[in-house]
Amino acid sequence: MRKAIKNKRKIIKAYELGKKCAEIQRLIKEEKIKKISEEEYEIFSQEAVNGRGQIACKGDFVKMDTTGSPYPNDRKFFLENHKHIQECEYEQISQPVYIWQAYEDMCLEVEFLIKNKNLIINKENKEKYYTASLWGTKLSAARDAYLIFYSIKKDLNGSIIDIDFNFVEHEEFEKTYTIINN
């Protein structure tokens, strides 16, 4: 596996779900976000498949990728990794993450995802090469996408017990991340 870091000093706009916000209302009107209840929202990111979006909760944040598609950030993760500047503007606090792509050798972390997190690798389908249940729905990504490992938890013996991960499409990765080792 390699490491990457989100591009530094990036100022982004983010919107808290459940707060009165014109941008969230616009996304709801455009059907990029669906309000399910007072507590839950469905977010239609680039990786959403079969007409099902990612489930996010009131208090979570929504950011926009470079294509204009929204994607959710868990509240705790967002607040730990962003510094509030003003209104809906935040500075991203970059932390290195592990990354993996299909052409790399199989590693223990990806094996763990296949065995324990229902990651499916479909070698016959380049457009939906990866599929997994993330954010309360099935997401898929193309063969050239990156698996991003936000956290890898291990027990005292060094065995993997949990991994927080997601897919990032190749074009989006190239615009927003820098690889820091090979």
Side-chain angles (χ1 to χ4, degrees):
M1 283 198 314
R2 298 172 291 157
K3 280 189 174 182
I5 193 163
K6 276 235 178 174
N7 296 333
K8 294 182 180 185
R9 296 246 184 242
K10 185 172 181 182
I11 305 300
I12 57 101
K13 291 191 177 189
Y15 312 95
E16 186 177 342
L17 292 169
K19 284 203 171 178
K20 199 169 198 168
C21 170
E23 185 66 12
I24 295 290
Q25 292 308 311
R26 180 187 68 79
L27 292 167
I28 289 172
K29 188 174 182 179
E30 292 177 3
E31 299 181 347
K32 292 181 177 183
I33 294 178
K34 179 181 178 184
K35 187 172 182 178
I36 298 170
S37 70
E38 290 302 315
E39 297 296 319
E40 285 190 324
Y41 297 80
E42 194 170 4
I43 314 298
F44 294 91
S45 67
Q46 274 193 81
E47 296 81 14
V49 294
N50 301 325
R52 298 280 305 148
Q54 298 168 284
I55 303 300
C57 298
K58 180 179 178 180
D60 288 344
F61 285 80
V62 171
K63 293 167 51 175
M64 306 298 283
D65 69 17
T66 59
T67 70
S69 296
Y71 64 97
N73 269 209
D74 170 80
R75 179 177 186 78
K76 182 178 185 296
F77 174 85
F78 182 85
L79 293 174
E80 289 173 353
N81 291 283
H82 297 82
K83 179 182 173 186
H84 186 248
I85 297 172
Q86 64 182 3
E87 296 184 16
C88 61
E89 289 185 355
Y90 296 83
E91 180 180 357
Q92 292 186 150
I93 301 167
S94 299
Q95 302 290 334
V97 292
Y98 284 102
I99 60 172
W100 186 85
Q101 284 187 286
Y103 70 85
E104 296 179 60
D105 291 338
M106 181 59 66
C107 61
L108 292 173
E109 291 80 4
V110 175
E111 286 178 358
F112 177 88
L113 295 178
I114 292 168
K115 290 177 186 172
N116 300 286
K117 294 286 194 161
N118 298 316
L119 172 66
I120 297 169
I121 297 178
N122 182 351
K123 295 180 180 181
E124 305 300 316
N125 189 336
K126 287 184 181 178
E127 295 306 310
K128 293 184 180 178
Y129 187 83
Y130 302 108
T131 304
S133 293
L134 296 163
W135 288 90
T137 191
K138 275 212 187 303
L139 300 180
S140 69
R143 186 180 193 284
D144 65 349
Y146 289 79
L147 289 182
I148 306 291
F149 296 86
Y150 297 114
S151 69
I152 302 168
K153 295 178 185 160
K154 296 182 179 184
D155 65 15
L156 295 175
N157 297 322
S159 298
I160 299 170
I161 56 172
D162 196 19
I163 295 177
D164 182 19
F165 76 105
N166 208 341
F167 310 129
V168 176
E169 292 291 353
H170 184 81
E171 264 187 57
E172 185 67 21
F173 181 90
E174 295 297 319
K175 291 176 185 175
T176 59
Y177 283 86
T178 300
I179 294 174
I180 55 177
N181 70 349
N182 290 326

